[in-house]
Amino acid sequence: REGGLGALEPLDIHSDRYVKQKAIVVKMEQVVLKELGFILYAEHPHKFILNYVKLICTDPAIEKALAQKAWNFINDSNRTTLCLQFPPEAICCAAISMAARCL
């Protein structure tokens, strides 16, 4: 090539150089997204499940089953954009409601 630069060499994805360059790219992507106003952190609704279920359940067996089912619904919701659209408390309440309908 002109300008004194040699040919580009393929980058081995198992090399330390690749890992370092990948980390730099990810960090710079975060900087760009942050500058453009993207929210890079979303609070997870999982931490509310046990408290909310304890408030509404009196039977420990039902409490455990309800909490587990709600936890599963919240795990599934992580594959959607819900955590960006609604507060975590609302997602938790919806998951508990859906779980109660399944029991």
Side-chain angles (χ1 to χ4, degrees):
R1 293 184 342 179
E2 292 183 31
L5 297 175
L8 294 176
E9 294 180 24
L11 188 57
D12 178 18
I13 63 170
H14 303 291
S15 68
D16 288 336
R17 184 173 163 233
Y18 172 82
V19 172
K20 289 176 185 174
Q21 287 185 349
K22 180 181 174 184
I24 291 169
V25 169
V26 168
K27 181 66 177 166
M28 290 301 111
E29 285 178 344
Q30 290 176 343
V31 169
V32 169
L33 290 173
K34 195 171 190 178
E35 289 299 317
L36 292 174
F38 283 77
I39 299 171
L40 301 177
Y41 172 77
E43 191 173 16
H44 297 282
H46 292 86
K47 69 180 186 180
F48 299 104
I49 290 177
L50 296 178
N51 290 334
Y52 289 0
V53 168
K54 284 182 184 197
L55 288 173
I56 60 175
C57 275
T58 55
D59 183 0
I62 293 174
E63 179 182 318
K64 183 177 180 180
L66 184 63
Q68 182 61 57
K69 195 73 154 168
W71 192 280
N72 294 342
F73 279 124
I74 289 176
N75 283 342
D76 293 343
S77 78
N78 286 336
R79 297 183 175 271
T80 69
T81 59
L82 283 176
C83 64
L84 302 175
Q85 296 173 308
F86 299 101
E89 298 88 352
I91 296 171
C92 182
C93 289
I96 291 171
S97 175
M98 290 169 46
R101 290 179 188 191
C102 292
L103 293 181

XYZ file of all heavy atoms in Angstrom:
809
model
N 0.834 -1.190 0.000
C 0.000 0.000 0.000
C 0.867 1.238 0.000
O 1.984 1.220 0.490
C -0.908 0.023 1.228
C -1.932 -1.075 1.196
C -2.939 -1.117 2.293
N -2.645 -0.370 3.508
C -3.459 -0.328 4.522
N -4.578 -0.980 4.485
N -3.171 0.353 5.585
N 0.295 2.281 -0.476
C 1.025 3.553 -0.474
C 1.000 4.149 0.913
O 0.128 3.858 1.724
C 0.373 4.520 -1.469
C 0.538 4.079 -2.910
C -0.050 5.102 -3.854
O -0.030 6.287 -3.522
O -0.529 4.684 -4.913
N 1.953 5.023 1.185
C 1.993 5.687 2.476
C 2.850 4.961 3.489
O 2.881 5.335 4.651
N 3.512 3.902 3.102
C 4.430 3.229 3.993
C 3.800 2.218 4.919
O 4.477 1.622 5.744
N 2.496 1.997 4.847
C 1.854 1.011 5.718
C 1.916 -0.360 5.070
O 1.670 -0.520 3.877
C 0.402 1.377 5.992
C 0.173 2.688 6.748
C -1.318 2.972 6.848
C 0.785 2.630 8.127
N 2.222 -1.361 5.854
C 2.297 -2.723 5.347
C 0.904 -3.325 5.220
O -0.108 -2.701 5.537
N 0.861 -4.536 4.756
C -0.411 -5.247 4.614
C -0.994 -5.526 6.000
O -0.264 -5.762 6.964
C -0.192 -6.544 3.858
N -2.305 -5.507 6.085
C -2.979 -5.830 7.345
C -2.920 -7.327 7.592
O -3.143 -8.127 6.686
C -4.429 -5.369 7.293
C -4.657 -3.872 7.217
C -6.152 -3.587 7.070
C -4.114 -3.184 8.446
N -2.622 -7.673 8.823
C -2.562 -9.086 9.190
C -3.861 -9.484 9.877
O -4.442 -8.695 10.620
C -1.396 -9.317 10.156
C -0.043 -9.078 9.551
C 1.065 -9.327 10.562
O 0.841 -10.093 11.521
O 2.133 -8.746 10.381
N -4.311 -10.712 9.638
C -5.514 -11.172 10.339
C -5.271 -11.195 11.848
O -4.169 -11.462 12.307
C -5.743 -12.577 9.812
C -4.775 -12.781 8.707
C -3.765 -11.702 8.750
N -6.316 -10.922 12.590
C -6.214 -10.879 14.045
C -6.745 -12.194 14.619
O -7.885 -12.577 14.377
C -7.028 -9.702 14.578
C -6.911 -9.352 16.036
C -5.459 -9.067 16.418
C -7.770 -8.152 16.360
N -5.912 -12.885 15.363
C -6.300 -14.153 15.989
C -7.217 -13.868 17.172
O -6.858 -13.138 18.095
C -5.042 -14.892 16.461
C -5.363 -16.198 17.158
O -6.494 -16.710 16.990
O -4.478 -16.716 17.872
N -8.429 -14.432 17.146
C -9.402 -14.142 18.208
C -9.014 -14.750 19.554
O -9.650 -14.455 20.568
C -10.825 -14.596 17.819
C -10.878 -16.100 17.617
C -11.311 -13.862 16.594
C -12.284 -16.648 17.472
N -8.000 -15.560 19.594
C -7.549 -16.156 20.850
C -6.312 -15.454 21.405
O -5.788 -15.866 22.442
C -7.263 -17.648 20.657
C -8.440 -18.411 20.148
N -9.570 -18.630 20.897
C -8.696 -18.982 18.944
C -10.445 -19.303 20.204
N -9.947 -19.531 18.995
N -5.874 -14.399 20.762
C -4.657 -13.713 21.198
C -4.962 -12.640 22.239
O -6.089 -12.156 22.350
C -3.954 -13.071 20.001
O -4.732 -12.000 19.493
N -3.940 -12.260 23.001
C -4.074 -11.181 23.984
C -4.359 -9.853 23.286
O -5.099 -9.023 23.806
C -2.797 -11.055 24.820
C -2.642 -12.211 25.798
O -3.667 -12.831 26.157
O -1.500 -12.491 26.207
N -3.765 -9.680 22.109
C -3.978 -8.441 21.350
C -5.456 -8.272 21.001
O -6.019 -7.190 21.129
C -3.135 -8.485 20.073
C -3.203 -7.234 19.267
C -2.189 -7.294 18.107
N -2.533 -6.308 17.124
C -2.695 -6.550 15.842
N -2.485 -7.754 15.368
N -3.029 -5.591 15.019
N -6.099 -9.357 20.600
C -7.527 -9.310 20.277
C -8.349 -8.933 21.507
O -9.238 -8.081 21.439
C -7.994 -10.664 19.730
C -9.490 -10.750 19.551
C -10.096 -10.223 18.424
C -10.295 -11.345 20.520
C -11.472 -10.284 18.250
C -11.664 -11.415 20.362
C -12.250 -10.883 19.227
O -13.608 -10.939 19.070
N -8.062 -9.567 22.639
C -8.805 -9.310 23.874
C -8.672 -7.838 24.279
O -9.655 -7.186 24.644
C -8.323 -10.250 25.005
C -8.929 -9.877 26.336
C -8.629 -11.694 24.652
N -7.464 -7.298 24.179
C -7.239 -5.902 24.551
C -7.959 -4.955 23.599
O -8.591 -3.994 24.036
C -5.740 -5.597 24.566
C -5.007 -6.247 25.715
C -3.515 -6.008 25.631
C -2.784 -6.780 26.723
N -1.326 -6.685 26.592
N -7.885 -5.230 22.312
C -8.550 -4.356 21.344
C -10.066 -4.440 21.472
O -10.757 -3.436 21.338
C -8.101 -4.695 19.923
C -6.693 -4.230 19.646
C -6.267 -4.442 18.203
O -6.947 -5.122 17.438
N -5.135 -3.872 17.851
N -10.581 -5.619 21.755
C -12.018 -5.782 21.952
C -12.484 -4.966 23.160
O -13.519 -4.297 23.118
C -12.367 -7.258 22.145
C -13.836 -7.505 22.362
C -14.120 -8.985 22.566
C -15.566 -9.201 22.937
N -15.849 -10.603 23.234
N -11.725 -5.009 24.254
C -12.069 -4.242 25.460
C -12.079 -2.744 25.157
O -12.959 -2.011 25.629
C -11.093 -4.552 26.586
N -11.122 -2.284 24.353
C -11.067 -0.866 23.988
C -12.293 -0.488 23.156
O -12.916 0.555 23.388
C -9.762 -0.556 23.223
C -8.564 -0.666 24.169
C -9.815 0.825 22.568
C -7.212 -0.643 23.465
N -12.662 -1.331 22.202
C -13.823 -1.053 21.355
C -15.101 -1.003 22.187
O -15.924 -0.094 22.035
C -13.940 -2.097 20.222
C -15.283 -1.987 19.512
C -12.805 -1.928 19.231
N -15.273 -1.958 23.099
C -16.469 -1.983 23.944
C -16.533 -0.728 24.808
O -17.589 -0.106 24.949
C -16.499 -3.265 24.814
C -17.562 -3.179 25.896
C -16.714 -4.485 23.940
N -15.419 -0.335 25.389
C -15.379 0.863 26.229
C -15.737 2.103 25.403
O -16.512 2.953 25.847
C -13.993 1.008 26.866
C -13.860 2.195 27.772
C -14.746 2.054 28.984
C -14.550 3.231 29.912
N -15.595 3.324 30.910
N -15.198 2.204 24.203
C -15.491 3.362 23.355
C -16.954 3.367 22.903
O -17.564 4.430 22.790
C -14.555 3.389 22.144
C -13.110 3.706 22.487
S -12.928 5.307 23.305
C -12.471 4.813 24.957
N -17.532 2.186 22.667
C -18.959 2.105 22.342
C -19.798 2.645 23.488
O -20.775 3.371 23.278
C -19.369 0.669 22.037
C -18.937 0.167 20.695
C -19.328 -1.282 20.458
O -19.673 -1.998 21.434
O -19.294 -1.706 19.298
N -19.424 2.302 24.724
C -20.143 2.797 25.892
C -20.042 4.314 25.985
O -21.021 4.987 26.301
C -19.608 2.147 27.162
C -19.965 0.691 27.281
C -19.348 0.041 28.512
O -18.421 0.559 29.118
N -19.859 -1.121 28.871
N -18.871 4.863 25.705
C -18.677 6.310 25.750
C -19.566 6.988 24.711
O -20.252 7.978 25.004
C -17.182 6.678 25.530
C -17.014 8.166 25.313
C -16.342 6.211 26.710
N -19.594 6.453 23.494
C -20.409 7.038 22.431
C -21.889 6.970 22.800
O -22.622 7.965 22.673
C -20.143 6.321 21.083
C -21.171 6.723 20.037
C -18.740 6.631 20.583
N -22.353 5.812 23.272
C -23.759 5.669 23.655
C -24.126 6.624 24.783
O -25.205 7.231 24.771
C -24.061 4.229 24.053
C -24.052 3.214 22.905
C -24.186 1.799 23.457
C -25.165 3.501 21.919
N -23.242 6.750 25.748
C -23.500 7.656 26.878
C -23.600 9.096 26.396
O -24.483 9.844 26.812
C -22.396 7.504 27.921
C -22.730 8.096 29.255
C -21.665 7.704 30.265
C -22.092 8.081 31.658
N -21.101 7.682 32.645
N -22.712 9.492 25.505
C -22.729 10.853 24.959
C -23.990 11.117 24.146
O -24.474 12.241 24.086
C -21.484 11.118 24.107
C -20.212 11.240 24.903
C -20.238 12.399 25.899
O -20.706 13.498 25.536
O -19.810 12.196 27.043
N -24.523 10.070 23.516
C -25.744 10.224 22.728
C -27.007 10.162 23.591
O -28.109 10.284 23.085
C -25.811 9.135 21.646
C -24.761 9.252 20.539
C -24.841 8.048 19.617
C -24.946 10.535 19.754
N -26.835 9.946 24.892
C -27.973 9.973 25.809
C -28.596 8.628 26.097
O -29.695 8.572 26.653
N -27.936 7.555 25.739
C -28.476 6.234 26.037
C -28.245 5.913 27.511
O -27.217 6.239 28.080
C -27.789 5.154 25.183
C -28.273 5.117 23.772
C -27.843 6.055 22.856
C -29.171 4.143 23.366
C -28.288 6.022 21.548
C -29.614 4.099 22.056
C -29.171 5.046 21.147
N -29.231 5.261 28.124
C -29.089 4.813 29.502
C -28.403 3.455 29.455
O -28.895 2.522 28.827
C -30.456 4.700 30.195
C -31.127 6.059 30.226
C -30.311 4.117 31.581
C -32.577 6.013 30.690
N -27.266 3.352 30.105
C -26.485 2.124 30.032
C -26.718 1.205 31.221
O -26.166 0.126 31.286
C -24.990 2.459 29.926
C -24.609 3.314 28.725
C -23.124 3.634 28.770
C -24.961 2.612 27.440
N -27.537 1.629 32.165
C -27.787 0.807 33.334
C -29.291 0.735 33.564
O -29.990 1.746 33.496
C -27.119 1.391 34.576
C -27.504 0.675 35.835
C -26.957 -0.555 36.147
C -28.454 1.201 36.692
C -27.332 -1.241 37.279
C -28.826 0.533 37.834
C -28.265 -0.683 38.128
O -28.650 -1.360 39.250
N -29.781 -0.426 33.796
C -31.189 -0.615 34.129
C -31.262 -1.406 35.427
O -30.592 -2.426 35.581
C -31.913 -1.350 33.011
N -32.071 -0.941 36.356
C -32.235 -1.643 37.623
C -33.071 -2.905 37.397
O -34.063 -2.869 36.672
C -32.927 -0.724 38.630
C -32.915 -1.243 40.028
C -33.461 -0.236 41.020
O -34.113 0.735 40.618
O -33.239 -0.445 42.215
N -32.665 -3.986 38.004
C -33.348 -5.261 37.804
C -34.481 -5.443 38.805
O -34.344 -5.105 39.986
C -32.357 -6.419 37.939
C -31.294 -6.386 36.901
N -31.512 -6.809 35.613
C -30.013 -5.968 36.931
C -30.426 -6.653 34.911
N -29.486 -6.146 35.681
N -35.598 -6.001 38.356
C -36.748 -6.201 39.244
C -36.622 -7.393 40.181
O -37.427 -7.542 41.094
C -37.912 -6.397 38.269
C -37.310 -6.801 36.993
C -35.913 -6.258 36.962
N -35.597 -8.219 40.001
C -35.455 -9.424 40.834
C -35.399 -9.102 42.324
O -35.920 -9.860 43.138
C -34.183 -10.192 40.455
C -34.233 -10.803 39.103
N -33.887 -10.109 37.969
C -34.584 -12.045 38.696
C -34.020 -10.904 36.925
N -34.438 -12.088 37.334
N -34.776 -8.000 42.678
C -34.562 -7.721 44.100
C -35.853 -7.403 44.850
O -35.872 -7.415 46.069
C -33.539 -6.597 44.273
C -34.008 -5.231 43.833
C -32.911 -4.223 44.053
C -33.361 -2.822 43.778
N -32.297 -1.868 43.998
N -36.929 -7.143 44.131
C -38.196 -6.809 44.784
C -39.082 -8.036 45.024
O -40.006 -7.978 45.827
C -38.981 -5.807 43.930
C -38.257 -4.509 43.721
C -37.653 -4.240 42.506
C -38.170 -3.573 44.724
C -36.981 -3.055 42.296
C -37.494 -2.380 44.530
C -36.898 -2.118 43.320
N -38.811 -9.124 44.332
C -39.722 -10.279 44.360
C -39.983 -10.791 45.770
O -41.135 -10.903 46.193
C -39.178 -11.436 43.500
C -39.243 -11.069 42.032
C -39.976 -12.709 43.731
C -38.652 -12.128 41.133
N -38.939 -11.111 46.506
C -39.141 -11.736 47.821
C -39.900 -10.831 48.780
O -40.782 -11.291 49.511
C -37.800 -12.168 48.410
C -37.061 -13.245 47.617
C -35.726 -13.567 48.269
C -37.908 -14.490 47.469
N -39.583 -9.540 48.767
C -40.294 -8.611 49.656
C -41.770 -8.527 49.304
O -42.634 -8.552 50.183
C -39.667 -7.222 49.592
C -38.307 -7.187 50.236
O -38.009 -7.983 51.114
N -37.466 -6.275 49.788
N -42.066 -8.402 48.017
C -43.460 -8.270 47.589
C -44.248 -9.550 47.855
O -45.388 -9.492 48.308
C -43.539 -7.912 46.111
C -43.097 -6.502 45.776
C -42.649 -5.616 46.751
C -43.116 -6.055 44.476
C -42.241 -4.338 46.431
C -42.716 -4.769 44.143
C -42.282 -3.913 45.128
O -41.897 -2.644 44.797
N -43.640 -10.695 47.593
C -44.344 -11.968 47.802
C -44.605 -12.191 49.290
O -45.676 -12.664 49.673
C -43.549 -13.137 47.174
C -44.088 -14.475 47.619
C -43.575 -13.030 45.652
N -43.663 -11.812 50.150
C -43.870 -11.960 51.595
C -45.022 -11.090 52.087
O -45.706 -11.446 53.039
C -42.594 -11.614 52.354
C -41.558 -12.703 52.277
C -40.333 -12.377 53.076
C -39.318 -13.481 52.844
N -38.276 -13.527 53.805
N -45.236 -9.950 51.429
C -46.333 -9.064 51.823
C -47.702 -9.655 51.495
O -48.679 -9.370 52.190
C -46.199 -7.703 51.120
C -45.086 -6.792 51.604
C -44.972 -5.567 50.701
C -45.331 -6.356 53.045
N -47.773 -10.465 50.459
C -49.091 -10.939 50.013
C -49.361 -12.409 50.314
O -50.491 -12.848 50.153
C -49.301 -10.679 48.505
C -48.246 -11.384 47.666
C -49.312 -9.199 48.211
C -48.467 -11.273 46.172
N -48.363 -13.153 50.772
C -48.551 -14.590 51.043
C -48.457 -14.885 52.533
O -47.655 -14.288 53.237
C -47.486 -15.411 50.322
S -47.894 -15.787 48.645
N -49.265 -15.848 52.959
C -49.182 -16.308 54.347
C -48.655 -17.743 54.429
O -48.109 -18.136 55.438
C -50.567 -16.241 55.023
O -51.502 -16.984 54.243
C -51.031 -14.799 55.153
N -48.830 -18.496 53.357
C -48.384 -19.893 53.316
C -46.981 -19.959 52.720
O -46.767 -19.565 51.572
C -49.363 -20.708 52.476
C -49.011 -22.185 52.430
O -48.010 -22.597 53.051
O -49.753 -22.933 51.765
N -45.988 -20.459 53.478
C -44.610 -20.526 52.966
C -44.458 -21.342 51.684
O -43.645 -21.010 50.830
C -43.824 -21.163 54.109
C -44.645 -20.935 55.332
C -46.076 -20.901 54.875
N -45.235 -22.401 51.531
C -45.133 -23.229 50.324
C -45.590 -22.450 49.097
O -44.940 -22.476 48.041
C -45.947 -24.504 50.485
N -46.703 -21.747 49.241
C -47.212 -20.935 48.132
C -46.262 -19.771 47.867
O -46.006 -19.408 46.716
C -48.644 -20.435 48.427
C -49.605 -21.623 48.460
C -49.082 -19.411 47.393
C -51.012 -21.277 48.874
N -45.739 -19.200 48.940
C -44.786 -18.084 48.804
C -43.586 -18.491 47.959
O -43.187 -17.771 47.039
C -44.334 -17.644 50.197
C -43.342 -16.513 50.220
C -42.911 -16.176 51.631
O -43.758 -16.151 52.546
O -41.706 -15.925 51.808
N -43.037 -19.654 48.238
C -41.859 -20.128 47.501
C -42.196 -20.386 46.035
O -41.456 -19.999 45.130
C -41.299 -21.396 48.157
C -40.047 -21.897 47.493
C -39.467 -23.107 48.205
C -38.204 -23.563 47.487
N -37.614 -24.709 48.107
N -43.329 -21.047 45.786
C -43.737 -21.354 44.413
C -44.033 -20.076 43.630
O -43.648 -19.947 42.463
C -44.961 -22.262 44.416
N -44.702 -19.138 44.281
C -45.033 -17.871 43.633
C -43.769 -17.082 43.301
O -43.621 -16.563 42.191
C -45.953 -17.038 44.533
C -46.471 -15.728 43.968
C -47.336 -15.969 42.745
C -47.256 -14.969 45.035
N -42.849 -17.027 44.242
C -41.595 -16.308 44.018
C -40.795 -16.945 42.886
O -40.240 -16.243 42.036
C -40.772 -16.268 45.301
N -40.743 -18.272 42.855
C -39.982 -18.960 41.797
C -40.598 -18.704 40.427
O -39.895 -18.430 39.460
C -39.927 -20.465 42.077
C -39.117 -21.229 41.040
C -37.666 -20.784 40.989
O -36.973 -20.827 41.986
N -37.217 -20.335 39.827
N -41.915 -18.783 40.347
C -42.592 -18.574 39.059
C -42.405 -17.119 38.609
O -42.143 -16.856 37.429
C -44.072 -18.914 39.204
C -44.783 -19.069 37.913
C -44.380 -20.354 37.264
C -45.449 -20.859 36.341
N -44.974 -21.937 35.494
N -42.527 -16.178 39.533
C -42.329 -14.762 39.195
C -40.889 -14.521 38.747
O -40.635 -13.761 37.798
C -42.676 -13.883 40.394
N -39.949 -15.157 39.423
C -38.529 -15.041 39.049
C -38.328 -15.514 37.607
O -37.616 -14.873 36.834
C -37.684 -15.870 40.019
C -36.215 -15.627 39.925
C -35.357 -16.145 38.999
C -35.429 -14.803 40.774
N -34.078 -15.700 39.230
C -34.097 -14.876 40.317
C -35.723 -14.024 41.888
C -33.063 -14.187 40.938
C -34.686 -13.344 42.504
C -33.381 -13.424 42.028
N -38.967 -16.620 37.258
C -38.859 -17.143 35.902
C -39.427 -16.157 34.876
O -38.837 -15.955 33.810
C -39.572 -18.493 35.782
C -38.903 -19.569 36.597
O -37.750 -19.446 37.000
N -39.639 -20.632 36.873
N -40.566 -15.548 35.200
C -41.145 -14.561 34.290
C -40.211 -13.359 34.114
O -40.057 -12.841 33.010
C -42.515 -14.090 34.779
C -43.632 -15.032 34.443
C -44.457 -15.542 35.431
C -43.877 -15.414 33.125
C -45.488 -16.400 35.127
C -44.905 -16.286 32.812
C -45.714 -16.783 33.818
N -39.587 -12.934 35.202
C -38.671 -11.798 35.106
C -37.443 -12.171 34.286
O -36.961 -11.368 33.482
C -38.297 -11.267 36.504
C -39.513 -10.573 37.114
C -37.121 -10.307 36.424
C -39.325 -10.094 38.517
N -36.942 -13.384 34.463
C -35.821 -13.832 33.632
C -36.195 -13.780 32.149
O -35.402 -13.348 31.314
C -35.380 -15.240 34.010
C -34.555 -15.269 35.263
O -34.015 -14.266 35.696
N -34.463 -16.437 35.867
N -37.406 -14.220 31.833
C -37.867 -14.179 30.449
C -38.011 -12.741 29.952
O -37.744 -12.452 28.794
C -39.189 -14.917 30.291
C -39.061 -16.425 30.509
O -37.918 -16.930 30.465
O -40.093 -17.073 30.739
N -38.430 -11.846 30.835
C -38.620 -10.447 30.428
C -37.299 -9.761 30.101
O -37.278 -8.751 29.403
C -39.355 -9.658 31.523
O -38.483 -9.299 32.578
N -36.187 -10.315 30.590
C -34.883 -9.724 30.293
C -34.516 -9.832 28.822
O -33.599 -9.160 28.363
C -33.787 -10.366 31.145
C -33.837 -9.923 32.577
O -34.353 -8.850 32.889
N -33.325 -10.737 33.468
N -35.211 -10.662 28.097
C -34.965 -10.803 26.657
C -35.785 -9.807 25.849
O -35.789 -9.858 24.619
C -35.270 -12.226 26.204
C -34.370 -13.254 26.841
C -34.658 -14.639 26.295
N -33.714 -15.598 26.831
C -32.551 -15.889 26.280
N -32.177 -15.281 25.184
N -31.758 -16.792 26.823
N -36.490 -8.925 26.536
C -37.309 -7.916 25.870
C -36.808 -6.524 26.266
O -35.808 -6.390 26.969
C -38.789 -8.057 26.291
O -38.920 -7.684 27.668
C -39.293 -9.479 26.096
N -37.537 -5.516 25.850
C -37.178 -4.131 26.192
C -37.963 -3.616 27.395
O -37.948 -2.414 27.666
C -37.426 -3.200 24.997
O -38.815 -3.279 24.629
C -36.558 -3.585 23.817
N -38.632 -4.494 28.133
C -39.457 -4.062 29.267
C -38.667 -3.258 30.300
O -39.176 -2.281 30.841
C -40.093 -5.267 29.965
C -41.292 -5.892 29.274
C -41.742 -7.131 30.027
C -42.419 -4.899 29.150
N -37.426 -3.686 30.568
C -36.645 -3.007 31.605
C -36.305 -1.568 31.209
O -35.942 -0.760 32.060
C -35.373 -3.784 31.937
S -34.217 -3.904 30.576
N -36.430 -1.246 29.934
C -36.202 0.133 29.486
C -37.490 0.927 29.417
O -37.475 2.153 29.403
C -35.535 0.128 28.103
C -34.213 -0.621 28.018
C -33.725 -0.651 26.582
C -33.175 0.021 28.922
N -38.626 0.233 29.381
C -39.914 0.886 29.221
C -40.649 1.125 30.539
O -41.431 2.059 30.639
C -40.815 0.058 28.304
C -40.286 -0.058 26.893
C -41.107 -1.024 26.059
O -41.337 -2.164 26.467
N -41.552 -0.567 24.909
N -40.408 0.265 31.534
C -41.171 0.341 32.783
C -40.236 0.287 33.980
O -39.161 -0.297 33.914
C -42.168 -0.828 32.864
C -43.169 -0.834 31.758
C -43.019 -1.682 30.673
C -44.261 0.016 31.785
C -43.928 -1.696 29.634
C -45.184 0.025 30.755
C -45.018 -0.830 29.673
N -40.669 0.862 35.102
C -39.853 0.769 36.324
C -39.768 -0.679 36.810
O -40.688 -1.479 36.578
C -40.589 1.639 37.340
C -41.779 2.192 36.677
C -41.864 1.657 35.291
N -38.685 -1.042 37.495
C -38.516 -2.432 37.936
C -39.614 -2.898 38.886
O -39.992 -4.076 38.880
C -37.152 -2.435 38.612
C -36.853 -1.022 38.922
C -37.571 -0.196 37.896
N -40.147 -1.988 39.681
C -41.223 -2.359 40.605
C -42.470 -2.812 39.840
O -43.143 -3.759 40.234
C -41.579 -1.190 41.532
C -40.448 -0.732 42.419
C -39.533 0.321 41.786
O -39.680 0.616 40.583
O -38.661 0.823 42.500
N -42.778 -2.121 38.740
C -43.949 -2.476 37.933
C -43.748 -3.837 37.262
O -44.679 -4.641 37.194
C -44.213 -1.399 36.889
N -42.556 -4.083 36.768
C -42.260 -5.371 36.132
C -42.387 -6.492 37.158
O -42.947 -7.555 36.877
C -40.863 -5.361 35.500
C -40.816 -4.333 34.365
C -40.492 -6.749 34.988
C -39.432 -4.078 33.817
N -41.903 -6.246 38.364
C -41.991 -7.239 39.427
C -43.451 -7.540 39.768
O -43.836 -8.702 39.880
C -41.235 -6.755 40.659
S -41.247 -7.945 42.003
N -44.249 -6.510 39.913
C -45.670 -6.706 40.232
C -46.386 -7.470 39.115
O -47.211 -8.346 39.391
C -46.349 -5.362 40.468
S -45.840 -4.577 42.007
N -46.065 -7.143 37.878
C -46.672 -7.857 36.746
C -46.250 -9.327 36.756
O -47.084 -10.219 36.503
C -46.275 -7.190 35.436
N -45.000 -9.590 37.044
C -44.512 -10.974 37.089
C -45.201 -11.754 38.196
O -45.568 -12.920 38.006
C -43.007 -11.001 37.265
N -45.380 -11.140 39.343
C -46.069 -11.798 40.462
C -47.519 -12.065 40.092
O -48.055 -13.143 40.369
C -45.946 -10.968 41.749
C -44.495 -10.976 42.235
C -46.884 -11.509 42.827
C -44.212 -10.023 43.379
N -48.160 -11.105 39.442
C -49.550 -11.290 39.006
C -49.662 -12.449 38.026
O -50.562 -13.299 38.145
C -50.045 -9.995 38.375
O -51.332 -10.172 37.834
N -48.765 -12.493 37.054
C -48.785 -13.586 36.080
C -48.508 -14.927 36.752
O -49.122 -15.944 36.426
C -47.774 -13.317 34.972
C -48.188 -12.170 34.059
S -46.910 -11.604 32.921
C -46.261 -13.085 32.240
N -47.575 -14.922 37.704
C -47.239 -16.150 38.424
C -48.441 -16.644 39.235
O -48.711 -17.844 39.288
C -46.041 -15.914 39.334
N -49.162 -15.723 39.859
C -50.340 -16.103 40.656
C -51.416 -16.719 39.778
O -52.107 -17.649 40.212
C -50.877 -14.874 41.390
N -51.538 -16.240 38.573
C -52.539 -16.818 37.654
C -52.172 -18.234 37.236
O -53.047 -19.024 36.892
C -52.669 -15.942 36.404
C -53.324 -14.616 36.673
C -53.405 -13.791 35.427
N -53.870 -12.453 35.746
C -54.234 -11.577 34.845
N -54.194 -11.883 33.568
N -54.638 -10.390 35.225
N -50.880 -18.525 37.235
C -50.421 -19.866 36.822
C -50.511 -20.901 37.942
O -50.479 -22.106 37.673
C -48.980 -19.800 36.325
S -48.798 -18.895 34.792
N -50.552 -20.437 39.188
C -50.567 -21.392 40.308
C -51.971 -21.910 40.575
O -52.952 -21.327 40.365
C -49.999 -20.737 41.572
C -48.524 -20.398 41.515
C -48.072 -19.775 42.835
C -47.679 -21.637 41.238
